[in-house]
Amino acid sequence: MSLTAAIQRVWILCLLSALSVPAFAGPSPSPTDAQRQASVEIAESLKYGHYADVKLDDTWSQRAFNRLLDVLDPQRAYLLKRDVTAFDDLRNSIDEAISEGQLERVYALYERYQSRLETRLEWLLAQLENGFSFDYTGNERLLIDRQGEPWAGNQQALDRLWQKRLKNAALSLSLSDQSNQEVKDTLVDRYQGQLARLRQTNSEDVFELFMAAVTGTVDPHTEYLSPRQGESFDIQMRLSLEGIGALLQTEGEYVKVSSLVPGGPADKGGALQPADRIVGVGQGESGEMVNVVGMRLDDVVELIRGPKGTTVRLDVIPAKAVDVTRSQVVKIVRDTVKLEDQAASSEVIEIEREDGKHRIGVIDIPTFYVDFDAWQAGEEDYRSSTRDVAKEIANLKAANVEGILLDLRNNGGGALQEANSLVGLFIDRGPTVQVRDARGRISLYGDTDSGVAYDGPLGVLVNRLSASASEILAGAIQDYDRGLVIGSQTFGKGTVQTLSDLSHGQLKLTRAKFYRVSGESTQLRGVTPDISFPSLVDPEMIGESSLDNALPWDTVRAVEYRDYGNPERYLSTLKARHQARIAQDPNFVYLEEQSALIKTLRDQQTTVSLNREQRQREMDAQESEQLALENRRRQALGLDPLEDWTQTRDSAAQQNTEDDQGDEDDETADPIDRAQVIEGSEIVLDYARLSGAS
């Protein structure tokens, strides 16, 4: 197994079940000798092993100090200006602290933060017990995002902020039809839970937070893993764990869905989407919904995972929701993700034109997979994405298709060797990707087999969730002029990580970077499509460019490779025909308008009103715009209108269930998804006819 493939396999497993690290009550945490030694080893690894030229000096230390403050108190809601000033010595000494394992001042800063947080939670509970006023008649507004705001000068300033935040929390629950008593009970449970978890903080928790700041200053994919996390990784490498098939991450007080595992329960259900925020978790059909706002990520995951066949209910704020008061409950039946669920599959799209029907083959590739065990055992008929795609190509050629569209949407990558061999199905030998290491040495990987499986017109459909190996394949097809890349800009994950053992824990370290055969990196910018589709995934929320301290885009020298055609000569005609079609397509009109509306609403929504009537008016106005867009689309398609915009997810989930039961003829299933496949096929057909006529 290649190192890249091994790392990818680990992270695929982590999508099914994140790590849980129990905390223990006790005195104020202090650094252990093991953590001091691990700190020294991490400093050495960053300086001498990281891809970037990392200098642990005063300049870096200042960045690390600011990031540590952002990790601890991103919304500037707990620490005072004098608290930060009291630890100003760390601004220029974190480099020495990590290099020498002198962590006392870092732990002292955490102790100050924990004291402020504990006091604030006690203050919130006292406010509620003393009869907090649920008065929503004033003209106050609350700033949603305080990251970057100045530190409060005194406790009274923070009290005023928290009076607003408490009122906002209460108003949000009240707008969800909770009574005043229910609002109070919910908030008391929330803050008591946070306080109990805070008081269980141990030394390893503090060390993880500090190392998250240290490694996150270098790049977003370098990460320290505690011994317990590393042990869980080993277990996951040996066992098939069960869950919902979602990668989760923290975002402020919320746990956010980062991506879904192709073929997993959440992906199949259709109701959970990337960038959704989870605010509650309930067990079974009617178990109590546990509020998870402010809860640790590993605790949330522990609530979500469970035995195969059981149901978990998630109360989520949809990614499209501008106001966090509008949540909805999603039911998911836990399951394992099998190789068959992620296998490549194909279909034939029939397109009606004036001269008759035309057939385009579509191959869906959810991930780049290989049966590592069978491959390493030397079995001849081992399963892999390349072998499965080759079989689908043969089936489509037998069906006399005029072109093929590879669907890489939502494909987060996988085995690098599979990306290389898959490109080889469409080119006759040649390099596919360059990998540059920390010393500047470049290794060239590619297809060494002669011959091709398919040499006809080709398109590659991508979106924002197409990452890593997907970007290598799409970039190679584009560079070789072998076909057209269609869709939206890809994720931009162009770095390689390795997992190394420390004396205490492990370090996932960025060691190399991917480059296309043209010399351009896939890092940060991803792959830009030849023909673009609008996207409902906000690049400011999902993608490499949304991550702090992402490594930059750059170039290396191009390698020699041949051209297989000249798709660019047809682009102006292809784009004109594409625009003419989608101008009349209700789904694409919706996609374009919804994408613009989400951005507009998000740009406008920097504050929320604490006046109930005003807040309701603002919510109603925003949702009525979204509902009007959806119903215009439905009217154009001859579908019944919806009464509430949140019903769109219920409809999609229900349709996915029907599809799983065999009802595949209903063209209203996943309408936006389907519209992109159909239009991608139209573009490939246009390309086939233009290139064939020349």
Side-chain angles (χ1 to χ4, degrees):
M1 181 193 316
S2 71
L3 188 54
T4 303
I7 298 297
Q8 182 66 31
R9 191 181 187 195
V10 170
W11 285 107
I12 287 291
L13 287 167
C14 288
L15 303 181
L16 304 179
S17 170
L19 310 166
S20 178
V21 183
F24 303 95
S28 297
S30 59
T32 65
D33 290 341
Q35 290 163 354
R36 296 179 195 277
Q37 178 59 31
S39 177
V40 174
E41 294 170 10
I42 290 170
E44 291 294 302
S45 296
L46 293 178
K47 286 189 291 186
Y48 303 115
H50 196 277
Y51 176 83
D53 183 17
V54 179
K55 291 183 173 63
L56 301 185
D57 53 17
D58 287 354
T59 300
W60 176 86
S61 185
Q62 290 165 14
R63 290 171 47 225
F65 179 70
N66 289 333
R67 183 159 185 84
L68 178 57
L69 293 175
D70 285 340
V71 168
L72 293 175
D73 190 5
Q75 293 299 310
R76 306 297 191 256
Y78 303 106
L79 293 172
L80 297 169
K81 184 176 181 180
R82 65 174 179 267
D83 295 326
V84 177
T85 302
F87 290 90
D88 257 355
D89 57 296
L90 281 173
R91 287 189 186 276
N92 295 319
S93 65
I94 284 186
D95 54 330
E96 284 117 8
I98 180 179
S99 298
E100 299 170 9
Q102 301 300 319
L103 307 178
E104 286 78 10
R105 288 292 289 163
V106 172
Y107 275 66
L109 171 56
Y110 179 84
E111 186 176 359
R112 177 73 61 90
Y113 158 76
Q114 179 167 326
S115 174
R116 294 295 189 194
L117 177 52
E118 187 170 349
T119 300
R120 180 54 61 189
L121 289 170
E122 291 171 342
W123 180 90
L124 287 166
L125 289 168
Q127 293 288 309
L128 291 166
E129 291 302 321
N130 293 334
F132 176 75
S133 174
F134 298 100
D135 179 13
Y136 312 121
T137 60
N139 296 317
E140 294 177 304
R141 298 191 72 86
L142 175 67
L143 182 65
I144 294 175
D145 185 4
R146 286 177 45 82
Q147 193 159 14
E149 289 292 301
W151 299 99
N154 53 57
Q155 201 66 52
Q156 290 72 30
L158 283 184
D159 287 347
R160 289 192 294 272
L161 167 65
W162 276 99
Q163 287 283 356
K164 286 186 176 182
R165 295 189 76 170
L166 182 56
K167 182 178 288 189
N168 179 62
L171 177 56
S172 298
L173 295 172
S174 178
L175 288 169
S176 300
D177 298 326
Q178 289 195 19
S179 67
N180 282 353
Q181 186 60 48
E182 289 173 326
V183 168
K184 177 181 176 180
D185 292 344
T186 299
L187 293 176
V188 168
D189 287 345
R190 178 187 302 179
Y191 300 135
Q192 284 180 341
Q194 291 179 19
L195 188 58
R197 290 187 292 271
L198 178 68
R199 288 171 174 166
Q200 292 177 328
T201 301
N202 63 18
S203 178
E204 195 63 41
D205 296 327
V206 182
F207 189 67
E208 287 177 32
L209 282 172
F210 175 49
M211 285 305 156
V214 166
T215 58
T217 303
V218 178
D219 88 285
H221 303 292
T222 293
E223 181 183 6
Y224 166 74
L225 304 176
S226 71
R228 196 175 292 269
Q229 289 174 318
E231 179 184 348
S232 186
F233 268 1
D234 292 339
I235 293 172
Q236 291 174 56
M237 286 295 288
R238 295 193 302 269
L239 301 178
S240 176
L241 297 178
E242 290 139 12
I244 64 170
L247 176 61
L248 308 178
Q249 66 184 64
T250 55
E251 184 179 77
E253 294 180 309
Y254 296 99
V255 168
K256 183 177 78 172
V257 178
S258 177
S259 61
L260 303 178
V261 182
D267 179 49
K268 287 182 176 180
L272 194 67
Q273 300 292 331
D276 285 352
R277 286 162 288 179
I278 300 173
V279 296
V281 179
Q283 306 301 326
E285 295 291 337
S286 59
E288 178 186 358
M289 187 68 71
V290 178
N291 187 287
V292 298
V293 176
M295 187 179 290
R296 285 170 35 148
L297 176 61
D298 51 3
D299 290 333
V300 177
V301 172
E302 193 64 27
L303 288 173
I304 293 175
R305 60 182 290 197
K308 175 182 177 180
T310 59
T311 297
V312 63
R313 301 186 339 276
L314 305 179
D315 190 12
V316 302
I317 301 170
K320 292 193 297 183
V322 180
D323 194 295
V324 297
T325 63
R326 307 299 279 179
S327 66
Q328 63 183 111
V329 175
V330 172
K331 293 181 182 180
I332 301 174
V333 178
R334 301 177 178 103
D335 201 355
T336 54
V337 179
K338 306 178 184 66
L339 183 60
E340 290 74 16
D341 296 327
Q342 298 184 314
S345 60
S346 69
E347 66 171 319
V348 174
I349 302 294
E350 291 194 346
I351 299 173
E352 189 79 37
R353 294 282 175 93
E354 291 182 356
D355 59 346
K357 288 185 178 181
H358 300 265
R359 297 160 70 82
I360 296 295
V362 177
I363 303 178
D364 180 26
I365 309 174
T367 187
F368 294 90
Y369 54 88
V370 61
D371 187 340
F372 290 108
D373 294 335
W375 173 56
Q376 289 180 319
E379 296 181 16
E380 292 186 5
D381 195 27
Y382 66 88
R383 191 79 178 270
S384 76
S385 51
T386 300
R387 292 180 170 213
D388 288 349
V389 169
K391 292 176 183 176
E392 299 301 336
I393 288 173
N395 293 335
L396 293 175
K397 288 167 68 175
N400 296 317
V401 297
E402 297 177 51
I404 289 178
L405 178 68
L406 303 180
D407 189 352
L408 298 182
R409 291 173 305 164
N410 305 325
N411 183 325
L416 175 60
Q417 67 191 58
E418 286 300 304
N420 293 328
S421 57
L422 251 167
V423 174
L425 297 177
F426 307 100
I427 66 168
D428 185 12
R429 292 187 180 180
T432 55
V433 64
Q434 304 182 71
V435 180
R436 184 169 71 176
D437 66 17
R439 297 183 180 181
R441 297 174 300 192
I442 295 178
S443 300
L444 198 59
Y445 297 88
D447 169 49
T448 58
D449 295 332
S450 60
V452 298
Y454 178 73
D455 61 2
L458 182 67
V460 181
L461 185 60
V462 296
N463 65 5
R464 187 62 171 175
L465 295 172
S466 304
S468 195
S470 291
E471 296 173 291
I472 291 172
L473 190 151
I477 296 299
Q478 193 175 59
D479 289 338
Y480 273 97
D481 284 334
R482 179 60 189 85
L484 297 164
V485 177
I486 304 163
S488 51
Q489 188 175 24
T490 60
F491 191 97
K493 170 66 165 62
T495 56
V496 184
Q497 286 72 42
T498 61
L499 195 62
S500 304
D501 288 331
L502 303 169
S503 61
H504 180 77
Q506 294 174 303
L507 182 65
K508 183 161 69 80
L509 187 69
T510 297
R511 298 295 300 268
K513 206 170 180 180
F514 290 131
Y515 293 85
R516 295 161 58 161
V517 294
S518 63
E520 295 183 351
S521 174
T522 56
Q523 171 63 15
L524 198 64
R525 296 185 184 180
V527 177
T528 302
D530 299 301
I531 298 177
S532 295
F533 290 173
S535 174
L536 294 182
V537 177
D538 188 345
E540 294 183 7
M541 298 181 67
I542 299 290
E544 190 78 4
S545 60
S546 71
L547 303 176
D548 293 336
N549 300 315
L551 294 185
W553 177 90
D554 61 352
T555 62
V556 296
R557 181 179 299 177
V559 298
E560 290 188 7
Y561 60 96
R562 59 172 286 192
D563 289 335
Y564 280 79
N566 188 11
E568 190 173 355
R569 66 187 289 192
Y570 309 113
L571 276 182
S572 60
T573 301
L574 290 170
K575 288 180 179 179
R577 293 182 181 180
H578 162 65
Q579 290 297 330
R581 275 191 301 270
I582 67 172
Q584 307 301 320
D585 186 323
N587 288 314
F588 264 90
V589 170
Y590 167 85
L591 189 61
E592 188 81 52
E593 293 180 345
Q594 179 74 345
S595 178
L597 177 60
I598 289 174
K599 185 179 186 306
T600 299
L601 292 178
R602 189 166 286 119
D603 289 344
Q604 292 175 350
Q605 194 80 2
T606 57
T607 64
V608 291
S609 174
L610 301 182
N611 180 291
R612 185 187 184 94
E613 293 183 0
Q614 179 63 25
R615 178 77 156 266
Q616 189 70 59
R617 283 195 297 269
E618 292 174 1
M619 285 170 48
D620 290 345
Q622 293 161 1
E623 292 185 7
S624 65
E625 287 187 79
Q626 293 176 316
L627 182 60
L629 282 182
E630 170 63 20
N631 281 337
R632 283 201 296 272
R633 182 190 72 83
R634 296 178 70 84
Q635 183 179 15
L637 293 171
L639 302 173
D640 293 335
L642 301 177
E643 296 181 1
D644 190 307
W645 73 274
T646 59
Q647 292 177 315
T648 56
R649 289 212 178 184
D650 296 334
S651 177
Q654 180 181 2
Q655 189 60 59
N656 278 3
T657 301
E658 292 173 359
D659 290 344
D660 289 340
Q661 295 171 350
D663 183 12
E664 298 179 354
D665 296 328
D666 189 341
E667 294 185 3
T668 64
D670 298 316
I672 303 303
D673 176 89
R674 195 66 183 165
Q676 292 180 340
V677 172
I678 298 298
E679 178 55 26
S681 301
E682 293 270 13
I683 292 171
V684 172
L685 177 58
D686 284 342
Y687 176 48
R689 305 190 77 186
L690 287 170
S691 58
S694 60

